[in-house]
Amino acid sequence: MKKSELLAPAGSFEIGKAALYSGADAIYLALESFGARAYAKNFSIEELTDILKIAHTLNKKVYVTVNTLIKNSELTLVYDFIDKLYMLGVDAIICADIAVFMYVINNCKPMECHISTQVGVKDLLDTKFFESINANRVVLARELNINQIKEIKENSNIELEVFIHGALCVSYSGGCLFSSLLSLRSGNRGRCSQNCRREYVIHENGVPITKPGYYLSMKDLCVSTNVKELLKINIDSLKIEGRMKNIIYVDSITRYYRNLLDNKPANIDELNKIFHRQYTKGFIFGEDPKNISTIKDSSSQGKYIGKVTRIKNNKIYINSLDVINVGDRLRFVHNDISIYITVSLMYDENGIKIEEAKGLISLECSEKIESNSLVYKMKENDISVEINSNILPLSIFLYGKKENKLGLTCCVNDEYFTIESDSVLQKAIKNPLSCETIINQISKLNDTPFYIDDISFDIEDDMFISLSEINNLRRKMVEYIYNKYHKKRNVIARCPLYLKKRNINYSNAFVAVVQTREQYDACKELGISNIFFKNISPYVNSKYNSIDEEEVLVGNYGGLIHYFNKIITTDYSFNVMNKDSILHLLNQGAQHVTLSPEISFNELKDLSIDFYNSYGVKPPVDYIVYGKNKLMSLKYCPLKGLGRCGKCHTNEYHLVDKLGKFIIKTKDDCIVEIYNDSPLNLIEEITKIKGGILNE
């Protein structure tokens, strides 16, 4: 049985090393461009080169995320960037844009193509599409349950990657426009403003029915008690989320799951010491959708350590179940109100100032804390991380005699190699070379994955060679091992792109997408002939129903397979922003491509010109000019926890905050959609937009 991979995040070089040394089989990271976590520290090319050497020497892998949407002006840059990653020896690229993953598949073997969760692989047909184009792996949507994942695994031959721990997006990944359209910071381009973590009030028929709360803020995923079920169905990769998290977080989580997977003791208390929101087992293991959010607080909940027993003279008295240190961050909760303090002065039960304690203690505090408040430890001042980097044993034999070079034979992973010093051994005038000196210098491997497990000698007595020469021999040994296991690749020759079909149907008419019969009839009365109503395969929860109409609006990659004999228009959920993405969708069976709402008019015009210059025809694209933008699609329902289940069909509901009002719409299959209440209106710009698309 194939061993499941443990995949850990690396937001920086030091964190990447920590993850590898703590038990990850692979790490995923981004450089300073094209990664979906633009605000992480990320890697330089030099750091990527170094982490590749370490990982490959340990027989581990490095994946690089290139999972943002690519603008047309960035195509040359991103292709050159991928070429560089290929030549450096990166094991896989995690992709979201079809232009990127087709480039990797067509040009970059043996570097693998992994389809990012940003693509939204939600069912078997989605998976089969990526299998059909020879992708190596798909990262499944976090909304799938264990039975759906099992079905996909049993009926496909592509690797599956599943999230097991970390922050959850409330929206289906890749389908969120909230940040982009309201904050002008595109989540699909790595700059999410996290509107889901803000406070909202829910209105019913225009009347507030809740207090301000975090109705879109999800708990953190933790499947520790169920992870063995994923092993039973042979999931290929188990993924920890957290490229924005610090080294303590990554080291602790990775070490914990490594122990679980290896059937070693794993203490859940170690997870409670680090930053996290309340934990949930997620949709994957059947969490009730109404319990998967954390309405009262969007941040970390902390570890419960006791209650406030009394308050006197600006002192808070606590009977703590855990050790509290000066510098710890504590949260006090009373009537759903949280107050945070950092411990500065602390006393034992006799009033003596102390630095740490457990049990009866008192704290000086100027905040108004209520008696009987619950106390949570948010941040422990004493948490530190000691990473044992030396995990690969070396067996070394050193030999030499007068007027000969000092030789070193090393055994690593049951393979032998020999290197020599640059200068020769000489008869010592004084202070001859000792075994202790050699051991001391050769063993200075602290910044490498290696340690000396065994060392032996056959060196003529009373010899001398400089310490710098011994140090240089050690460096040559390390570099030899790195080069042995890390292989760079030669430059690649790109496969040319071309349009497979030329019988493109251009429509100058308006196209309408409607959700009700009333909307359909109204469009008909206005003379609109191209209307998508019942002939829609949605982005989320497509049932792939039989469609009588000749044309179909497809929202997901599985629809390209199922409706291959129809006239397909791909919906905006394909997030198309460049000419090559249009080309690939046309070559995969689409007749028309709806562009991303995130594209500007100037970008649209440049894309259109570039497509024509590259492929000799005008691009058959649609552009949204009117309607209420869908901001999110959710499996979680914010109304269910309020006891409003089913009332969505008779009442109107909105999320309201200082930025605006947002419609909560629940479909018949209980998928929730959030819409901007203010419609997009580009009607007066239609002539300009049409000219930009058709170069007129």
Side-chain angles (χ1 to χ4, degrees):
M1 183 184 297
K2 181 181 176 182
K3 177 184 174 184
S4 295
E5 170 189 271
L6 180 60
L7 177 58
S12 71
F13 178 68
E14 291 302 322
I15 295 174
K17 288 196 299 183
L20 292 171
Y21 298 149
S22 300
D25 299 302
I27 58 173
Y28 64 102
L29 56 91
L31 274 71
E32 295 165 2
S33 303
F34 307 117
R37 291 291 183 270
Y39 301 118
K41 183 179 179 183
N42 294 323
F43 281 65
S44 66
I45 286 291
E46 294 74 21
E47 288 173 329
L48 174 61
T49 302
D50 289 342
I51 205 72
L52 282 165
K53 289 179 179 179
I54 294 171
H56 290 167
T57 299
L58 296 173
N59 196 28
K60 298 171 185 269
K61 296 181 178 180
V62 175
Y63 309 145
V64 175
T65 61
V66 186
N67 59 344
T68 59
L69 301 186
I70 306 302
K71 293 185 177 183
N72 199 67
S73 60
E74 298 170 333
L75 279 174
T76 299
L77 291 174
V78 76
Y79 293 157
D80 289 345
F81 179 63
I82 293 170
D83 288 354
K84 184 177 292 186
L85 299 178
Y86 172 86
M87 288 185 286
L88 286 174
V90 168
D91 296 286
I93 302 294
I94 303 173
C95 319
D97 193 301
I98 188 171
V100 173
F101 57 72
M102 293 305 293
Y103 183 85
V104 175
I105 290 168
N106 291 334
N107 296 285
C108 298
K109 290 181 173 50
M111 185 170 71
E112 293 187 354
C113 173
H114 295 180
I115 304 302
S116 172
T117 188
Q118 289 295 113
V119 174
V121 180
K122 299 173 287 297
D123 57 39
L124 178 59
L125 268 184
D126 278 343
T127 306
K128 297 297 281 186
F129 172 84
F130 291 107
E131 183 179 326
S132 73
I133 63 170
N134 296 316
N136 301 91
R137 177 185 295 184
V138 293
V139 185
L140 294 176
R142 283 168 272 201
E143 288 78 7
L144 296 179
N145 63 46
I146 185 67
N147 291 327
Q148 292 169 319
I149 295 171
K150 183 178 180 181
E151 179 196 11
I152 293 172
K153 184 64 182 175
E154 290 175 347
N155 293 281
S156 64
N157 295 303
I158 191 172
E159 289 187 2
L160 302 183
E161 183 174 303
V162 174
F163 281 93
I164 60 169
H165 197 97
L168 290 170
C169 289
V170 67
S171 173
Y172 279 83
S173 294
C176 181
L177 295 173
F178 215 140
S179 178
S180 175
L181 298 184
L182 295 179
S183 307
L184 301 180
R185 285 169 48 182
S186 172
N188 290 322
R189 287 178 53 80
R191 291 171 170 79
C192 179
S193 57
Q194 293 198 316
N195 294 282
C196 54
R197 302 296 184 188
R198 296 206 316 263
E199 280 189 312
Y200 296 92
V201 172
I202 294 182
H203 287 207
E204 181 182 71
N205 299 325
V207 179
I209 59 171
T210 68
K211 296 178 180 179
Y214 300 94
Y215 296 100
L216 297 180
S217 183
M218 303 291 275
K219 297 176 182 178
D220 280 359
L221 179 66
C222 177
V223 305
S224 58
T225 57
N226 302 90
V227 71
K228 296 293 179 69
E229 294 180 47
L230 292 170
L231 300 182
K232 289 178 183 177
I233 61 173
N234 301 321
I235 294 304
D236 300 277
S237 182
L238 307 174
K239 186 172 192 173
I240 299 167
E241 183 278 336
R243 281 196 292 121
M244 298 289 288
K245 299 296 175 62
N246 62 29
I247 194 169
I248 295 173
Y249 179 96
V250 173
D251 174 72
S252 300
I253 300 296
T254 304
R255 197 179 301 278
Y256 175 79
Y257 279 100
R258 180 76 276 155
N259 287 335
L260 273 184
L261 299 182
D262 293 345
N263 293 313
K264 295 179 180 178
N267 186 357
I268 191 70
D269 286 341
E270 294 302 310
L271 299 189
N272 291 326
K273 290 182 178 180
I274 58 178
F275 174 92
H276 68 90
R277 300 175 182 90
Q278 292 181 43
Y279 282 137
T280 172
K281 59 186 177 181
F283 296 112
I284 185 173
F285 289 114
E287 188 76 82
D288 189 324
K290 72 179 180 182
N291 294 328
I292 205 166
S293 69
T294 171
I295 294 171
K296 296 176 183 178
D297 203 319
S298 68
S299 62
S300 170
Q301 299 299 294
K303 179 183 179 181
Y304 175 74
I305 59 170
K307 289 185 178 182
V308 174
T309 57
R310 66 188 177 107
I311 299 169
K312 183 178 180 181
N313 298 329
N314 287 332
K315 281 190 177 181
I316 305 167
Y317 291 81
I318 302 170
N319 189 359
S320 178
L321 304 173
D322 199 0
V323 175
I324 298 177
N325 301 270
V326 170
D328 285 353
R329 185 77 168 162
L330 303 182
R331 180 170 74 105
F332 296 83
V333 182
H334 188 264
N335 291 336
D336 295 334
I337 296 174
S338 295
I339 296 175
Y340 299 83
I341 70 167
T342 299
V343 178
S344 57
L345 293 173
M346 182 168 61
Y347 306 89
D348 66 13
E349 56 186 315
N350 298 314
I352 298 172
K353 189 183 294 185
I354 51 177
E355 295 294 317
E356 65 175 18
K358 179 180 179 180
L360 294 173
I361 60 169
S362 60
L363 312 173
E364 283 197 7
C365 176
S366 59
E367 299 284 348
K368 184 172 176 54
I369 306 293
E370 300 290 339
S371 186
N372 292 318
S373 292
L374 304 180
V375 186
Y376 297 83
K377 183 154 51 173
M378 305 295 296
K379 177 179 179 295
E380 294 191 81
N381 191 48
D382 65 338
I383 290 182
S384 60
V385 56
E386 293 184 9
I387 299 168
N388 177 23
S389 64
N390 307 124
I391 59 176
L392 185 61
L394 304 179
S395 180
I396 292 174
F397 172 62
L398 290 127
Y399 59 91
K401 57 185 178 180
K402 183 180 177 182
E403 303 300 333
N404 283 269
K405 294 181 178 181
L406 178 63
L408 182 151
T409 296
C410 176
C411 177
V412 54
N413 293 329
D414 295 325
E415 296 185 68
Y416 292 84
F417 67 89
T418 297
I419 56 174
E420 293 181 329
S421 61
D422 292 334
S423 59
V424 299
L425 291 160
Q426 297 176 342
K427 191 70 174 179
I429 299 173
K430 57 180 180 178
N431 299 325
L433 191 65
S434 68
C435 293
E436 291 77 14
T437 298
I438 296 176
I439 292 172
N440 183 57
Q441 299 306 118
I442 294 293
S443 299
K444 292 181 177 179
L445 297 166
N446 292 337
D447 201 32
T448 73
F450 315 117
Y451 70 94
I452 305 299
D453 182 53
D454 178 67
I455 188 167
S456 57
F457 306 89
D458 184 11
I459 299 174
E460 189 176 335
D461 292 340
D462 299 324
M463 290 294 103
F464 172 80
I465 196 169
S466 68
L467 293 182
S468 62
E469 191 66 34
I470 299 174
N471 292 336
N472 186 51
L473 189 64
R474 181 191 68 241
R475 287 189 287 268
K476 288 169 68 174
M477 175 187 71
V478 170
E479 197 61 28
Y480 185 97
I481 299 172
Y482 281 153
N483 292 333
K484 178 179 178 64
Y485 293 103
H486 172 62
K487 305 296 185 183
K488 294 186 178 181
R489 306 183 181 109
N490 296 324
V491 65
I492 58 179
R494 296 178 183 177
C495 296
L497 294 179
Y498 63 94
L499 186 60
K500 293 180 180 178
K501 56 187 178 182
R502 295 285 171 167
N503 57 332
I504 292 175
N505 175 33
Y506 297 98
S507 173
N508 295 326
F510 288 110
V511 177
V513 181
V514 301
Q515 298 183 1
T516 66
R517 173 59 64 178
E518 291 77 13
Q519 292 172 339
Y520 180 86
D521 292 340
C523 289
K524 279 291 188 183
E525 289 178 13
L526 291 171
I528 299 175
S529 57
N530 294 354
I531 305 173
F532 291 110
F533 177 29
K534 297 295 186 180
N535 53 336
I536 298 175
S537 175
Y539 173 65
V540 174
N541 225 19
S542 176
K543 302 298 184 182
Y544 302 107
N545 296 322
S546 177
I547 292 175
D548 295 329
E549 288 90 336
E550 186 179 7
E551 298 184 32
V552 59
L553 181 66
V554 166
N556 59 340
Y557 282 96
L560 295 175
I561 294 179
H562 188 77
Y563 299 106
F564 72 95
N565 59 346
K566 299 283 186 181
I567 297 174
I568 293 175
T569 295
T570 55
D571 206 353
Y572 71 88
S573 50
F574 282 81
N575 291 322
V576 173
M577 301 184 76
N578 64 73
K579 68 178 179 68
D580 288 353
S581 291
I582 298 171
L583 174 81
H584 290 301
L585 287 173
L586 295 176
N587 285 344
Q588 292 297 326
Q591 293 285 340
H592 272 255
V593 174
T594 307
L595 296 176
S596 166
E598 298 187 67
I599 194 170
S600 70
F601 172 74
N602 287 334
E603 290 167 341
L604 164 65
K605 186 175 180 180
D606 291 342
L607 179 157
S608 181
I609 294 170
D610 203 9
F611 187 93
Y612 180 82
N613 291 338
S614 298
Y615 307 118
V617 294
K618 297 174 183 178
V621 295
D622 297 341
Y623 191 71
I624 299 171
V625 297
Y626 184 84
K628 294 184 177 181
N629 290 117
K630 186 196 299 182
L631 303 177
M632 290 180 171
S633 296
L634 293 67
K635 188 172 183 178
Y636 151 73
C637 180
L639 301 178
K640 190 173 183 180
L642 301 176
R644 258 59 177 187
C645 189
K647 296 190 176 182
C648 53
H649 302 300
T650 55
N651 297 325
E652 292 184 352
Y653 292 94
H654 290 83
L655 290 164
V656 180
D657 74 348
K658 61 183 178 181
L659 294 184
K661 187 165 67 168
F662 311 102
I663 301 167
I664 304 173
K665 177 180 174 56
T666 306
K667 299 170 68 177
D668 291 340
D669 56 9
C670 289
I671 294 298
V672 176
E673 297 174 335
I674 308 296
Y675 289 82
N676 192 1
D677 195 54
S678 300
L680 169 74
N681 188 348
L682 300 177
I683 299 298
E684 294 182 358
E685 306 294 334
I686 286 178
T687 302
K688 179 181 177 182
I689 292 168
K690 179 181 174 183
I693 293 176
L694 299 177
N695 305 323
E696 296 174 348

